[in-house]
């Protein structure tokens, strides 16, 4: 079956989308100031969907003979070949430099999918979290579920809490977990629809690891907003996102046990939603300290382009042609004590 799979055609014509000029103008002003010369090449990738790439995260719970050889025939190779501080043997991801999208698998109740299509940079927060077997883990803003699935490719948590406040996205999350995780392990996973800002008070110091993949201004999708009025509204509401992100982080810190670690991530280039949010937390929470991620950054530098000048506890993936991954911001923090 897999020998007959062919990459879907990603011609420029097929994927032609209408760029929303009001968003592009806003990004042009903001990111020229924040990214300097790097913005020009990033803009070229973000506005050219036909050059975007997709990675395949293989599902360790669904062994599929022939899949990996089929991927190799079509130019895919394993991601993360260099030694990393944390890379479980069961964690298998395939990428290729050429654009193109492998066929997606449809959800079939009772049947596990063999792979998850995703932006390879979205795996970095999971690798930074370094989940071990038996740990209690919280994915605070879990939908659509790609990072939750990736965590379960790495380890078997003692308790895995996947939370998504939005009703529609929560159903999407439940379907994703059902598609990738066997029934015997499903009872390890608790899916909730709580306000993430309240979980820290509801479950104080309960978790060893917390992932906060926060709601953010998604640069890739916002550039192609079909409704200009919706785009204007989004840009107006953008200023409020950092406040929500700080509240989610404070809740996550409360939910962490002393000694536990937290990874904060977004899929935006915006400094206000990235470094500024993390700096505010570090400056206001005495029981939180930054964690150096430079070893991981060096280990994945073959696959990703990072913005220079970042601090050691954070990294920002910049899309470029041939390595069109990101944007993805990742920061790692550790809780030192209860107060």
């Amino acid at each position: 079956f897999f020998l007959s799979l062919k990459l879907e055609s990603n011609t420029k014509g097929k994927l032609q989308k209408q760029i929303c000029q009001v968003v592009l103008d806003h990004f042009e002003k903001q990111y020229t100031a924040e990214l300097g010369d790097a913005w020009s090449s990033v803009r070229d990738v973000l506005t050219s969907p036909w050059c975007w790439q997709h990675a395949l995260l293989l599902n360790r719970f669904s062994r599929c003979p022939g899949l990996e050889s089929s991927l190799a025939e079509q130019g895919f190779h394993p991601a993360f070949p260099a030694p990393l501080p944390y890379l479980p043997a069961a964690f298998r991801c395939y990428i290729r430099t050429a654009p193109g999208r492998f066929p997606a698998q449809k959800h079939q109740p009772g049947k596990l999918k063999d792979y998850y299509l995703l932006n390879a940079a979205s795996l970095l927060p999971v690798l930074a979290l370094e989940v071990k077997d038996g740990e209690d883990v919280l994915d605070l803003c879990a939908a659509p579920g790609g990072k939750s699935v990736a965590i379960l490719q790495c380890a078997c948590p003692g308790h895995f809490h996947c939370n998504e406040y939005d009703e529609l996205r929560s159903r999407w999350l439940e379907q994703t977990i059902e598609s990738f995780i066997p029934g015997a392990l499903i009872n390890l996973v608790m899916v909730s629809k709580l306000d993430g800002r309240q979980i820290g008070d509801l479950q104080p110091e309960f978790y060893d690891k917390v992932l906060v993949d926060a709601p953010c201004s998604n640069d890739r999708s916002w550039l192609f907003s079909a409704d200009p009025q919706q785009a204007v509204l989004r840009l107006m509401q953008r200023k409020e996102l950092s406040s929500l992100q700080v509240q989610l982080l404070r809740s996550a810190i409360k939910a962490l046990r002393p000694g536990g670690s937290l990874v904060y991530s977004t899929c935006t280039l915006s400094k206000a939603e990235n470094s500024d949010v993390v700096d505010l937390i570090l400056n206001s929470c005495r029981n939180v300290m930054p964690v150096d991620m430079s070893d991981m950054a060096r280990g994945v530098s073959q696959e990703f382009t990072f913005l220079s000048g970042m601090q050691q506890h954070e990294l920002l993936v910049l899309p470029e042609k041939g390595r069109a991954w990101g944007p993805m911001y990742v920061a790692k923090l550790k809780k030192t004590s209860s107060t």
Side-chain angles (χ1 to χ4, degrees), residues 112-127:
L112 296 181
K113 292 184 179 182
D114 301 308
Y115 55 84
Y116 190 98
L117 293 171
L118 77 177
N119 184 319
S122 66
L123 295 173
L124 295 180
V126 174
L127 294 177

Side-chain angles (χ1 to χ4, degrees), residues 140-141 163-165 194-198 212-217 237-252 264 266 272-273 277 280-281:
L140 192 69
C141 313
N163 182 69
E164 177 54 52
Y165 184 54
L194 300 167
D195 185 333
R197 294 169 292 186
Q198 299 173 356
V212 184
D213 186 44
C216 66
S217 49
Q237 294 173 334
R238 195 179 198 202
K239 299 170 187 172
E240 301 166 13
L241 278 169
S242 58
S243 175
L244 170 62
Q245 291 155 350
V246 168
Q247 291 175 67
L248 289 169
L249 266 177
R250 290 194 191 281
S251 175
Y264 173 74
T266 75
E273 298 176 52
V277 167
L280 193 154
I281 291 293

Side-chain angles (χ1 to χ4, degrees), residues 50-234:
W50 52 89
C51 79
W52 294 359
Q53 296 155 261
H54 297 82
L56 285 88
L57 176 66
L58 304 196
N59 186 8
R60 67 174 172 137
F61 304 113
S62 175
R63 297 293 181 183
C64 192
L67 174 55
E68 289 177 89
S69 58
S70 176
L71 290 172
E73 287 175 12
Q74 297 180 62
F76 285 85
H77 60 272
F80 316 120
L84 295 179
Y86 173 83
L87 187 66
F91 191 87
R92 295 172 301 151
C93 177
Y94 279 81
I95 60 175
R96 70 172 209 161
T97 53
R101 184 185 176 97
F102 211 69
Q105 293 181 308
K106 292 182 179 178
H107 173 70
Q108 298 179 50
K111 180 170 171 44
L112 296 181
K113 292 184 179 182
D114 301 308
Y115 55 84
Y116 190 98
L117 293 171
L118 77 177
N119 184 319
S122 66
L123 295 173
L124 295 180
V126 174
L127 294 177
L129 198 60
E130 301 189 28
V131 175
K132 309 289 196 306
D133 287 348
E135 289 183 325
D136 295 321
V137 182
L138 169 63
D139 189 349
L140 192 69
C141 313
K147 293 180 180 66
S148 299
V149 166
I151 286 170
L152 289 164
Q153 303 305 311
C154 293
C156 228
H159 174 77
F160 189 25
H161 182 177
C162 299
N163 182 69
E164 177 54 52
Y165 184 54
D166 182 85
E167 177 74 31
L168 186 64
R169 287 171 60 82
S170 182
R171 288 203 295 273
W172 189 3
L173 168 65
E174 288 176 336
Q175 188 178 92
T176 300
I177 291 171
E178 182 187 334
S179 291
F180 285 90
I181 309 306
L185 289 178
I186 287 286
N187 57 4
L188 285 179
V189 183
M190 183 182 86
V191 177
S192 67
K193 303 171 190 173
L194 300 167
D195 185 333
R197 294 169 292 186
Q198 299 173 356
I199 287 181
D201 290 323
L202 294 170
Q203 296 180 305
E205 300 192 349
F206 188 85
Y207 299 99
D208 301 296
K209 303 280 170 69
V210 179
L211 174 63
V212 184
D213 186 44
C216 66
S217 49
N218 186 319
D219 294 348
R220 281 194 189 228
S221 65
W222 281 27
L223 271 170
F224 298 94
S225 300
D227 182 350
Q229 288 183 317
Q230 182 194 46
V232 171
L233 183 61
R234 278 176 165 174

Side-chain angles (χ1 to χ4, degrees), residues 258-270:
S261 54
L262 175 156
V263 169
Y264 173 74
S265 61
T266 75
C267 54
T268 182
L269 298 161
S270 177

